[in-house]
Amino acid sequence: MLRPFLEETAAIVESEIDRLLGDPAQQAAPRLAEAMRYAALGGGKRLRAALVRAVAQALARGAADPPWETTAAAVELLHAYSLVHDDLPAMDDAQLRRGRPACHRAFDEATAILAGDALQAAAFGWIAGDPYLSADARVSLLAGLAEAAGLAGMCGGQMLDLEGERQPPDLAGLERMEQLKTGAMIAFAAEAGAIVADASPTERQRVLAWARHLGLAFQITDDLLDVEGDGTLTGKDAGLDAARGKTTFVTLIGVDAARARLSELARSAEAEVRQLAGDTSLLDALFHHVVTRDR
């Protein structure tokens, strides 16, 4: 059930991103447009897009799917920007992303910085211009995306991550940092699905609670893959966190305790999703997929 859903979602979102980014030859700065397409297209788990779609479908009130496609593409675009900047020499100094050279390696550092900036701006523009959403929905999505991506979310978490290289955090601090750096955008993706489905405030809060458990589980699984994963499957540099001396769940509490924490998060997530009306089987399958993936 899940694999066809993920593959179909990825294909739809890939097509939507391709359409909205357009032909580089028609843009004011073709090389920058090419770098944006390089970073945003051609692979990736598309987990955030799948979350938007799965939640929207689970909470839909009518027979027709809510208009999730452009919102999902925008979320993936902002995620792509974050990866471009995260890979830069001043940040993680990564060589690979999605099995091919990182954007700054394929182009150059300055172009990668500008590509990330332009991808971020485009993500907001796509949501603002979606003709299939109400004005209230677009405002809610834009406000939520700004919070999840900024100081109170992903960027704030990245800053805490950098500071953690000098002053390693304890477990509570590590969880807080990851809830911001990784979890905030995952939680927003799920909430975005609820917004486009016109869900009630109570439903949105339950979705958010479920997605926060998912976001932390995603990062713990990433930490496990960094030490146990196969680089040919993950498509990125293995052991990069250890090489930079970063504190991870594995380095702080060990593999066994990290896996035990995953089990706790799965139980908490299941308790939240059981309170939602409608068919939530895809949400259960997505959580299982996140904690058992090999890439």
Side-chain angles (χ1 to χ4, degrees), residues 32-88:
L32 177 58
E34 288 172 6
M36 292 169 68
R37 291 179 64 84
Y38 181 88
L41 294 168
K45 293 178 281 291
R46 302 302 189 201
L47 171 67
R48 291 152 189 82
L51 282 170
V52 176
R53 185 187 186 189
V55 172
Q57 291 181 343
L59 301 181
R61 307 204 191 295
D65 277 356
W68 61 271
E69 294 88 346
T70 298
T71 297
V75 170
E76 288 291 343
L77 206 69
L78 196 134
H79 178 55
Y81 127 73
S82 75
L83 298 181
V84 170
H85 282 193
D86 207 35
D87 288 342
L88 289 168

Side-chain angles (χ1 to χ4, degrees), residues 210-225:
W210 172 80
R212 287 179 179 130
H213 296 311
L214 176 67
L216 193 54
F218 181 92
Q219 186 57 52
I220 293 174
T221 304
D222 250 16
D223 289 352
L224 288 165
L225 287 172

Side-chain angles (χ1 to χ4, degrees), residues 152 157 160 171-181 216:
L160 294 178
L171 183 58
L174 180 61
E175 289 205 2
R176 174 61 176 159
M177 182 267 288
E178 296 296 4
Q179 284 169 344
L180 296 176
K181 181 184 176 186
L216 193 54

Side-chain angles (χ1 to χ4, degrees), residues 41-173:
L41 294 168
K45 293 178 281 291
R46 302 302 189 201
L47 171 67
R48 291 152 189 82
L51 282 170
V52 176
R53 185 187 186 189
V55 172
Q57 291 181 343
L59 301 181
R61 307 204 191 295
D65 277 356
W68 61 271
E69 294 88 346
T70 298
T71 297
V75 170
E76 288 291 343
L77 206 69
L78 196 134
H79 178 55
Y81 127 73
S82 75
L83 298 181
V84 170
H85 282 193
D86 207 35
D87 288 342
L88 289 168
M91 299 286 282
D92 283 351
D93 195 18
Q95 305 299 305
L96 294 175
R97 174 64 63 180
R98 295 172 176 168
R100 54 184 188 167
C103 189
H104 68 279
R105 301 283 297 179
F107 291 83
D108 56 72
E109 190 173 348
T111 301
I113 291 169
L114 290 174
D117 292 342
L119 288 168
Q120 179 184 193
F124 285 91
W126 289 1
I127 291 174
D130 188 345
Y132 300 104
L133 295 174
S134 69
D136 286 346
R138 281 178 277 155
V139 169
S140 292
L141 288 167
L142 291 169
L145 183 58
E147 181 174 1
L151 177 61
M154 181 180 66
C155 287
Q158 288 176 321
M159 187 70 239
L160 294 178
D161 191 21
L162 289 172
E163 292 175 341
E165 294 181 21
R166 298 189 298 273
Q167 182 63 45
D170 59 13
L171 183 58

